[in-house]
Amino acid sequence: MTAQVLIDAFRLPAQALVAQRIPKKLLVEQGAPTAADKRLINDTIDELWWQATLKPATVGVPAFHAATVPATPAAAPTAGARSAAVGASDGGATSANATEATDVIELALVSAHLRPPTREAQARRLMQLIHRAIPYPVLLVTQAPTGTVLSVAHKRASLGEAGKWVVADAADTHAFNPAQPTAAETEFMASLALEQLPPSALADLRALYQAVADRITALAVAQVTGHFRAPDAAAAAPAARTAAQRQALAERSRLLDQLASARSTAAKARQMNQRVELNLQIQRLQRQLQELQDRLAT
């Protein structure tokens, strides 16, 4: 299974491995706020597995205790690092601080295998439900018909319902085949191995989780530039660099939507002056996209 290749990329010690099947009934009971979500889980998920538990006793990385460290402002979510604010009892509102201080005592590595034909929107909803249902930060490997996706999601306790979690900010890779990766995807998977992470990423479990999120952003950048560059802990202000990359990716997504709309309108235009105006708009958007790509490549 291609999902296993991505799971193995973390190079976790044997004591961290669990490989325990999660009954779908538990996800339906704990993570499905609507009847439609219950049907989606039952009809679409083939298997759900708790693959590993990352905690001080299994990976040697200290827990994070929120009382000791101030919260850090979060970067804007992007395509490839998308917002996933889906809290049922909080009205789906995003937290003002997606990485706001919350104790992180362990991380869960979970895999989900989806049945064909699962549409992208369905797969994305299932990822949100799984992240929200598990009371730990989840490294979620989803094997869908379109490919395998690694996703993470910062969470906070629900303000309106005790014991429930709200996904405030999520990041996910594009769907790819880990068994036949591109050069950038190969470098991305190599960068996930615990022994490859810098000391700053192993300071505590929250830092480890953020390091994976940052590498997901780096892979999204590589989809634009063609080159994967793992976040450099030794570089000046690495968090600010990642935040700037996410903002640039979000801007690029917006420009691509505008460009597609302008081209569609231009193809239907009948008046010459309208065509000229739209062509000028297309050229301007193309220049802006090139400028963004150049920024991402530096």
Side-chain angles (χ1 to χ4, degrees):
M1 294 182 293
T2 58
Q4 190 61 48
V5 177
L6 184 51
I7 292 166
D8 292 343
F10 286 95
R11 304 285 294 273
L12 297 175
Q15 61 267 28
L17 304 181
V18 177
Q20 179 178 342
R21 191 163 185 168
I22 304 172
K24 287 193 294 184
K25 180 181 178 181
L26 292 180
L27 183 58
V28 169
E29 292 174 349
Q30 300 179 24
T34 68
D37 288 330
K38 290 179 173 64
R39 288 194 300 272
L40 181 63
I41 291 169
N42 285 321
D43 295 345
T44 307
I45 294 181
D46 187 26
E47 294 182 339
L48 191 62
W49 289 82
W50 196 296
Q51 296 287 354
T53 297
L54 289 71
K55 57 185 180 181
T58 61
V59 295
V61 178
F64 170 80
H65 297 288
T68 63
V69 180
T72 302
T78 68
R82 297 173 178 86
S83 172
V86 293
S89 59
D90 284 36
T94 57
S95 167
N97 186 350
T99 56
E100 62 189 353
T102 301
D103 284 357
V104 181
I105 59 174
E106 68 178 67
L107 308 178
L109 176 57
V110 175
S111 66
H113 302 263
L114 309 185
R115 298 169 181 155
T118 302
R119 298 189 301 275
E120 182 180 356
Q122 291 176 314
R124 186 161 302 285
R125 178 58 178 168
L126 285 167
M127 287 190 288
Q128 294 172 351
L129 294 174
I130 294 168
H131 276 293
R132 191 174 61 188
I134 297 174
Y136 303 107
V138 177
L139 302 163
L140 178 60
V141 177
T142 303
Q143 185 171 308
T146 55
T148 301
V149 175
L150 173 63
S151 63
V152 297
H154 289 290
K155 291 180 281 193
R156 61 176 173 82
S158 171
L159 301 177
E161 191 173 358
K164 298 296 183 180
W165 294 89
V166 175
V167 174
D169 184 35
D172 51 82
T173 68
H174 62 282
F176 70 103
N177 183 355
Q180 295 179 319
T182 65
E185 292 160 358
T186 298
E187 293 181 63
F188 165 71
M189 289 193 293
S191 78
L192 297 175
L194 285 185
E195 66 265 27
Q196 295 298 321
L197 294 174
S200 61
L202 302 177
D204 56 55
L205 290 172
R206 182 173 180 263
L208 173 56
Y209 198 65
Q210 186 59 48
V212 175
D214 292 344
R215 278 151 181 76
I216 290 174
T217 297
L219 181 59
V221 172
Q223 289 295 102
V224 179
T225 66
H227 302 285
F228 178 81
R229 294 171 58 187
D232 185 358
R241 176 181 174 81
T242 299
Q245 288 175 329
R246 297 185 73 184
Q247 290 171 352
L249 289 167
E251 176 67 9
R252 181 175 182 271
S253 179
R254 185 182 67 80
L255 289 174
L256 285 172
D257 288 343
Q258 290 182 354
L259 182 59
S261 176
R263 283 173 170 165
S264 176
T265 304
K268 301 173 185 176
R270 293 292 180 264
Q271 297 181 1
M272 181 60 66
N273 61 341
Q274 186 181 15
R275 288 184 179 180
V276 170
E277 183 179 346
L278 286 167
N279 284 333
L280 290 174
Q281 181 183 355
I282 290 169
Q283 292 173 16
R284 183 175 67 256
L285 290 169
Q286 288 173 328
R287 286 195 301 271
Q288 291 175 323
L289 281 168
Q290 186 59 53
E291 290 170 1
L292 274 176
Q293 182 167 330
D294 292 343
R295 279 167 48 194
L296 288 167
T298 58

